Amino acid sequence: SEAGSVGESVNYKITGIDPGAGIMEATERAITDYELDKWDLVSGSGAAMTAALKKAYDAEKPIIITGWTPHWKFAKYDLKYLEDPKGSYGGEEEIHTIGRTGLQEDLPEAHQILSNFSWSEEDMGEIMIAIQEGEKPEVAAQNWVDANADKIAVWTDGVEKVNGDAIKLAYVAWDSEIASTNVMKIVLEDMGYKVTTVQVEAGPMWTAVADGSADASLAGWLPLTHATYAEKFDGKFEDLGASMTGVKIGLVVPSYMDITSIEDLQE
Ligand code: PBE
């Protein structure tokens, strides 16, 4: 086009998030798979990425981000995933709850609730959007809990309350996991637990569950996003199952950009 290539328009820069995120590894793989030799993946954080997205979007400028669903950005902006014919980002992903070895013996009620935990993209979306609009995470989560007693009753069905047992949940400051972790904190507190949440990077999160310094995390993205972590710690954690299916990672751009595929970045 008269403006030159997409690469030139964004200085061959993909706006990434925290270096330990699985989507960063997948993006390095995409750069190799699609021979995007001139391109750089710039790391930062989820918050810095959404700030850069807002700035570009408001000015209708081009930007390429590492994006994932569920995320409030798709409600707020008109965005699209770039097609990924080589499959660098896998297919349908799932969000898994992971627990430390011995959790079932030590905290059987929590183990049961965490194993039962499952909700929809819409559920999580309500909380993410409320937080994005300025609500405190714990308040947004409490409002959702108050309005969804029926769903929580399914997670806690037949589970006895406990009397102040301590449990520690590790999470990463991704918008999706801020929402889920804040909800589970309230659910477990209502069941009598003393809940600590600890915010860490992705590598330390998996390490903490594997070495038992955290009891569980709601932030395991599988089969592909966190495959490197899951393989590294194979046998050292328990997969408590999917809390959400049909989630996704990839490269995301504003819909006004005139490209459709990662292959278009080769030009
Ligand atoms: N995410 C959100 C994470 C998992 C949750 C897609 C940014 C990641 O890439 O590891």
Side-chain angles (χ1 to χ4, degrees), residues 17-18 20-24 66-70 95 174-177 202 219-221 225-226 229 248-249:
I17 57 168
D18 39 299
I23 200 172
M24 297 296 278
T66 57
W68 66 98
T69 310
I95 307 178
W174 300 313
D175 296 287
S176 36
E177 280 57 35
W221 280 50
T225 312
H226 292 166
Y229 295 125
K248 184 175 167 67
I249 62 170

Side-chain angles (χ1 to χ4, degrees), residues 107 161-167 188-189 191-195:
L107 302 171
K161 287 199 177 180
V162 302
N163 196 4
D165 294 1
I167 183 165
L188 291 172
E189 282 172 351
M191 291 298 287
Y193 283 94
K194 192 174 175 305
V195 183

